[in-house]
Amino acid sequence: MRKVFLGSAGLGALPPWLASLPLTARHAVLVPTAANPLPAAPWVEAADSLLRGEGMVVERLDLERAGAADVERALRGADLVFVAGGYPLFLLEHVQRTGFDRVVAPAVREGRLGYADVSAGAALAAPDLGYYREADAAIDPGDPGAPESTRGLGLVPFLVLAHRNRGRAERHDRQVARHGEQAYLSINDDQAVVVHGGTWKVRASP
């Protein structure tokens, strides 16, 4: 059964979600790549600390500096992949270049791998990230990514719009009104979407 955690910023709902996995996650792969162009990314260390606090061995996989063989090696035997936030299109560029999408998407759909993420990582789970090419849509302005296409992992049928409470509510609502609630889901920093198989719910995640 597909198990996916889509966050905005807060990780409060992550431990209960981890406890709901069919098998205890022992080996996590943390992908910090989306934050590489930013001057600081404390949320990466916060995720690392939480995962280790849950008893996991954490291996970092920076897709900007990786190749296809590195991705296959890092994910071999992993129970969970956690994709941190930052620039969505920059992340997508290196996801596509390394074949991360081709390895991760089927493993998550088949229930062999748990997928957890926040912000840009949550966006990656969508069918398409074309929204982030719109001028006023960027989580952080000036996304340097140049992916081959805007196709995402397709783990869920909607795009999570993170950070609603940071002055983004109006533009998020315009997008939802234009395309429908089935295509976009806007959440605050203290919320997360938890997916079990074909169902999903928004949870408090301070």
Side-chain angles (χ1 to χ4, degrees), residues 96-186:
Q96 294 174 349
R97 180 186 58 77
T98 60
F100 179 87
D101 50 349
R102 295 189 295 274
V103 176
V104 168
V108 175
R109 291 193 194 103
E110 294 165 13
R112 294 184 283 112
L113 182 68
Y115 183 89
D117 43 43
V118 292
S119 191
L124 183 63
D128 190 90
L129 279 70
Y131 170 73
Y132 293 104
R133 282 187 168 162
E134 297 182 16
D136 71 343
I139 294 173
D140 294 288
D143 190 324
E148 293 181 359
S149 76
T150 56
R151 185 182 66 255
L153 298 183
L155 301 179
V156 292
F158 50 81
L159 173 65
V160 170
L161 302 177
H163 314 310
R164 176 181 177 84
N165 55 301
R166 301 189 196 179
R168 294 172 167 86
E170 184 177 345
R171 57 179 131 160
H172 286 187
D173 289 345
R174 285 199 304 268
Q175 200 71 8
V176 172
R178 189 179 305 138
H179 298 284
E181 294 180 353
Q182 297 79 18
Y184 293 91
L185 180 60
S186 174

Side-chain angles (χ1 to χ4, degrees), residues 1-7 17 20 115 125 127 154-161 176 180-188 191-204:
M1 180 182 290
R2 178 179 46 169
K3 296 279 191 175
V4 177
F5 176 95
L6 307 171
W17 177 82
S20 76
Y115 183 89
L155 301 179
V156 292
F158 50 81
L159 173 65
V160 170
L161 302 177
V176 172
E181 294 180 353
Q182 297 79 18
Y184 293 91
L185 180 60
S186 174
I187 61 173
N188 295 326
Q191 294 178 309
V193 183
V194 293
V195 181
H196 297 272
T199 63
W200 58 268
K201 292 182 179 180
V202 177
R203 302 286 192 192

Side-chain angles (χ1 to χ4, degrees), residues 41-64:
W43 54 89
V44 175
E45 298 303 327
D48 190 298
S49 295
L50 187 149
L51 295 173
R52 292 182 191 276
E54 292 295 312
M56 287 182 236
V57 173
V58 179
E59 177 181 357
R60 295 205 186 191
L61 173 63
D62 185 353
L63 298 178
E64 185 181 12

